[in-house]
């Protein structure tokens, strides 16, 4: 959706404009797909069978991990975005290697019964709507199938008997994103604020986005208008001139919002007048920040963030606790589905006052602190120092005295604690896409906490990790949750227990 890269402590894939190729480490069920020069040696000298622009009929067999249709042409795999299983389409080759063909749909000859008209008129143009043409029940089935496919690939012990629940969806699978992060440019005198047209750096101006919540969307647009009225300059990529690159608005459930203006340079002419206008016209704002991100880069955030006005934090209530989020702190984009995820994880851990809980990959402590009142002690670790500071503050603000957060990686801190004699009875892990580090898995297998819950955003690394953890753990259930409707992004909770 946004062009966000993981240079912040965000969870989730790189939402770069090259969504289809932006998949992180360990995510591919088909290694080499995107590494164009790593052709299979035996294939290398085979004549190329297709040409760019060539058209052929294609039957779609299934959906790939990025939501694209998959078919076969002369036994070569074809990736074709926008086509659905069961459909017969006329495909046109857009690119190929000796391993695969990429194509686009010219016409649909036989249409799937699951095909729907996307809710957003720009769904075919921009990223973030890869599944919008698929009926919602079929999207949920696809997300269950993603984990099944990943398990078949990595084959953890007993995987064919795993309890894999149906994906938990949303009643209304739209308007769920609480954060909008939209690039702004002036093209031929016209301000464009929206999303990149797929595969380009051209911005499609979007007054609304069907997956974005109304508050953050409306505020982003208002901010764009105010900046434009104040003659603030917008970034020009070709010339590397102009000031504001991206407008980021994060809204909470109460309709308050935190604004970050990502700029190309620090100097911000007319800053005070702009702040006045913003605060006067947008009463929902709690804080305004400037993040400086020099020059041409695919990263959204630069290293330095300056507060221009207001509160340091945006507050959000999660499961009855009040959490503070600094601009770069990770907060799940979908409040409703995040709450369900946490509730499932908490229930699966089945905690009691004797338990000592580790909240690994803790972010600002949302998960661990939600469980602090159930257990004797919580310890969490997280690599980003600012997030750990936020977690400590969140513990304090909620009057929690039995939770301790430390800066460091799970793979370093967990074994260190074990060495010091700390043997937790329960562990919740919530890693980013690359999944668990080997050293952390070894330490888990050695320490053997009785209760283990794994929250994952990547079925592939999850399946790989389950195959490593099967030495001591069995899987009680896997619960996929649709955190990102209309996109192929996956989220799920796994309950494990010691064999
Ligand atoms: N549990 C939190 C955050 C999950 S996002 C929540 O639900 O909000 C994953 C977090 O893991 C990020 O904050 C990221 O900074 C952190 N992280 C990434 N690699 C890590 C590692 N090796 N060890 C510990 N934390 C890590």
């Amino acid at each position: 959706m946004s062009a966000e890269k993981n240079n912040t402590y965000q969870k989730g894939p790189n939402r770069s404009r090259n969504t289809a190729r932006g998949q992180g480490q360990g995510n591919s069920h088909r290694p080499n797909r995107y590494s164009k020069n790593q052709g299979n040696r035996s294939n290398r000298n085979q004549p190329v069978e297709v040409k760019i622009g060539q058209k052929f009929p294609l039957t779609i067999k299934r959906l790939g991990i990025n939501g694209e249709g998959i078919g076969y042409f002369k036994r070569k795999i074809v990736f074709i975005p926008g086509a659905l299983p069961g459909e017969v389409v006329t495909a046109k080759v857009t690119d190929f290697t000796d391993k695969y063909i990429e194509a686009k749909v010219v016409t649909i000859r036989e249409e799937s019964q699951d095909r729907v008209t996307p809710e957003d008129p720009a769904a075919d143009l921009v990223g973030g709507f890869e599944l919008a043409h698929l009926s919602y029940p079929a999207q949920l089935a696809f997300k269950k199938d993603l984990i099944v496919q990943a398990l078949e690939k990595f084959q953890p012990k007993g995987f064919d008997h795993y309890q894999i629940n149906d994906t938990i969806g949303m009643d209304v699978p739209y308007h769920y994103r609480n954060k909008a992060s939209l690039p702004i440019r002036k093209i031929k005198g016209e301000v464009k604020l929206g999303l990149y047209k797929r595969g380009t750096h051209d911005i499609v101006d979007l007054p609304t986005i069907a997956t974005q919540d109304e508050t953050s969307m409306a505020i982003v647009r208002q901010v764009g208008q105010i900046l434009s009225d104040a003659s603030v300059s917008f970034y020009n990529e070709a010339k590397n001139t102009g000031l504001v690159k991206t407008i980021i608005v994060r809204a909470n459930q109460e309709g308050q919002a935190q604004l970050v203006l990502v700029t190309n340079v620090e100097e911000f002419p007319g800053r005070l007048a702009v702040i006045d206008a913003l605060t006067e016209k947008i009463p929902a704002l709690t804080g305004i920040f400037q993040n400086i991100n020099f020059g041409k880069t695919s990263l959204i955030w630069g290293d330095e963030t300056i507060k221009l006005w207001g509160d340091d934090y945006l507050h959000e209530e999660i499961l009855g606790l009040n959490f503070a989020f600094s601009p770069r702190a990770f907060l799940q984009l979908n409040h409703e589905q995040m709450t369900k995820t946490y509730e499932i994880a908490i229930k699966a851990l089945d905690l009691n006052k004797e338990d000592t809980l580790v909240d690994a990959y803790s972010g600002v402590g949302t998960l661990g602190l939600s469980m602090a009142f159930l257990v004797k002690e919580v310890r969490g670790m997280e690599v980003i120092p600012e997030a750990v500071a936020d977690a400590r503050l969140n513990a304090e603000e909620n009057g929690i005295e039995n939770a301790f957060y430390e800066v460091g990686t799970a793979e370093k801190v967990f074994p260190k604690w074990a060495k010091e004699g700390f043997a937790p009875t329960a562990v919740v892990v919530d890693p980013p896409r690359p999944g668990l580090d080997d050293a952390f898995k070894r330490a888990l297998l050695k320490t053997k906490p009785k209760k283990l819950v794994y929250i994952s955003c990547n079925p592939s690394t999850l399946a790989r990790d389950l195959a490593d953890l099967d030495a001591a753990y069995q899987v009680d259930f896997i619960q996929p949750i649709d955190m990102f409707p209309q996109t192929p992004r996956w989220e799920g909770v796994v309950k494990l227990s010691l064999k």
Side-chain angles (χ1 to χ4, degrees):
M1 168 68 49
S2 69
E4 191 131 26
K5 275 259 188 173
N6 272 1
N7 66 332
T8 166
Y9 57 100
Q10 303 278 340
K11 186 173 168 178
N14 299 340
R15 305 305 294 171
S16 69
R17 68 191 170 92
N18 296 322
T19 305
R21 290 163 194 77
Q23 299 289 344
Q25 266 166 278
N27 182 46
S28 182
H29 296 272
R30 303 175 300 264
N32 293 345
R33 171 182 168 188
Y34 299 122
S35 40
K36 303 209 168 181
N37 299 319
Q38 290 181 18
N40 181 334
R41 277 172 188 278
S42 59
N43 271 351
R44 203 192 257 167
N45 298 323
Q46 281 182 9
V48 173
E49 304 151 27
V50 289
K51 288 195 183 90
I52 289 187
Q54 185 178 336
K55 290 182 195 167
F56 49 77
L58 186 71
T59 303
I60 310 304
K61 299 289 185 196
R62 59 192 166 91
L63 289 178
I65 49 172
N66 299 311
E68 73 283 56
I70 289 179
Y72 294 87
F73 178 68
K74 296 185 179 166
R75 297 173 63 198
K76 208 172 254 197
I77 191 162
V78 183
F79 298 105
I80 180 159
L84 295 175
E87 291 187 331
V88 181
V89 303
T90 301
K92 186 175 176 183
V93 177
T94 54
D95 201 359
F96 63 90
T97 71
D98 53 4
K99 297 221 97 183
Y100 64 85
I101 297 168
E102 287 184 0
K104 66 177 185 185
V105 176
V106 182
T107 48
I108 301 170
R109 300 174 166 200
E110 282 172 42
E111 197 176 271
S112 162
Q113 289 185 352
D114 292 326
R115 180 171 285 279
V116 295
T117 304
E119 187 115 340
D120 197 295
D124 294 334
L125 279 179
V126 299
F129 289 98
E130 293 77 6
L131 296 181
H133 56 297
L134 181 62
S135 74
Y136 194 54
Q139 289 185 28
L140 298 178
F142 165 69
K143 290 186 181 182
K144 182 172 177 179
D145 190 52
L146 276 183
I147 183 63
V148 173
Q149 282 187 41
L151 291 169
E152 277 166 3
K153 184 179 171 206
F154 288 96
Q155 313 222 331
K157 255 176 237 154
F159 76 95
D160 38 359
H161 300 297
Y162 280 3
Q163 177 189 328
I164 303 172
N165 298 336
D166 289 343
T167 311
I168 297 178
M170 299 184 77
D171 292 342
V172 181
Y174 286 100
H175 301 295
Y176 58 84
R177 294 179 59 102
N178 57 22
K179 187 167 118 179
S181 183
L182 307 186
I184 187 162
R185 304 282 183 271
K186 196 171 206 169
I187 311 288
K188 291 184 187 141
E190 256 180 77
V191 176
K192 299 216 185 264
L193 172 60
L195 294 166
Y196 290 117
K197 190 171 162 192
R198 263 186 228 164
T200 75
H201 253 198
D202 303 335
I203 293 172
V204 183
D205 187 65
L206 297 171
T208 60
I209 297 174
T211 48
Q212 196 66 51
D213 77 4
E214 283 87 351
T215 311
S216 55
M217 191 69 214
I219 293 176
V220 158
R221 295 294 299 189
Q222 245 182 313
V223 171
Q225 189 62 51
I226 292 167
L227 296 182
S228 177
D229 291 347
S231 304
V232 171
S233 67
F234 300 124
Y235 187 56
N236 179 318
E237 228 172 275
K239 296 184 185 151
N240 193 26
T241 56
L243 186 67
V244 178
K245 288 178 160 177
T246 310
I247 302 175
I248 302 173
V249 172
R250 171 149 72 188
N252 66 12
Q253 296 303 298
E254 286 174 45
Q256 296 171 316
Q258 190 174 52
L259 167 66
V260 182
L261 301 173
V262 180
T263 62
N264 184 36
V265 289
E266 184 170 347
E267 201 193 354
F268 189 155
R271 196 177 78 177
L272 292 179
V274 171
I275 296 169
D276 277 350
L278 288 168
T279 51
E280 190 196 316
K281 291 187 180 140
I282 314 176
L285 290 180
T286 62
I288 304 176
F289 301 80
Q290 181 184 357
N291 174 270
I292 299 137
N293 187 12
F294 296 111
K296 230 183 241 185
T297 159
S298 59
L299 302 177
I300 290 221
W301 293 85
D303 290 335
E304 196 189 349
T305 306
I306 309 167
K307 186 173 82 173
L308 301 180
W309 173 87
D311 298 339
D312 292 344
Y313 298 99
L314 179 74
H315 289 266
E316 179 71 302
E317 195 184 303
I318 301 170
L319 297 177
L321 296 184
N322 185 4
F323 287 93
F325 293 87
S326 51
R328 297 191 62 177
F330 173 81
L331 170 61
Q332 277 292 6
L333 284 172
N334 185 332
H335 189 85
E336 181 183 330
Q337 297 300 83
M338 170 188 70
T339 307
K340 290 180 196 165
T341 305
Y342 287 6
E343 281 169 346
I344 291 163
I346 294 170
K347 189 161 173 239
L349 281 167
D350 188 25
L351 299 164
N352 62 55
K353 277 288 179 188
E354 306 295 301
D355 278 317
T356 44
L357 171 71
V358 167
D359 175 9
Y361 309 84
S362 54
V364 304
T366 37
L367 259 171
L369 295 176
S370 307
M371 296 185 243
F373 71 99
L374 296 168
V375 298
K376 192 156 85 192
E377 181 185 339
V378 178
R379 290 198 195 184
M381 85 290 275
E382 155 66 52
V383 272
I384 311 270
E386 292 88 336
V388 172
D390 287 2
R392 289 175 181 155
L393 175 87
N394 284 323
E396 200 182 309
E397 289 206 339
N398 288 287
I400 294 168
E401 289 175 349
N402 62 341
F404 308 94
Y405 283 89
E406 198 167 313
V407 181
T409 61
E411 53 273 26
K412 286 238 166 80
V413 175
F414 191 86
K416 188 196 84 182
W417 286 344
K419 229 183 214 168
E420 292 164 3
F422 176 69
T425 57
V427 174
V428 59
V429 302
D430 187 10
R433 298 181 66 78
L436 307 180
D437 186 90
D438 284 340
F440 183 35
K441 281 181 277 192
R442 280 196 301 271
L444 282 169
L445 289 171
K446 211 168 147 200
T447 320
K448 291 195 169 66
K450 226 174 98 198
K451 307 164 185 182
L452 178 58
V453 163
Y454 190 142
I455 302 179
S456 164
C457 57
N458 183 341
S460 193
T461 54
L462 169 63
R464 177 204 67 197
D465 289 343
L466 293 178
D468 290 333
L469 294 170
D470 69 4
Y473 288 91
Q474 65 182 41
V475 168
D476 297 330
F477 67 75
I478 299 180
Q479 177 63 67
I481 294 154
D482 193 19
M483 192 73 83
F484 310 101
Q486 319 308 330
T487 82
R489 288 177 66 182
W490 193 88
E491 189 83 20
V493 178
V494 185
K495 178 178 191 288
L496 298 112
S497 54
L498 214 49
K499 278 188 194 165

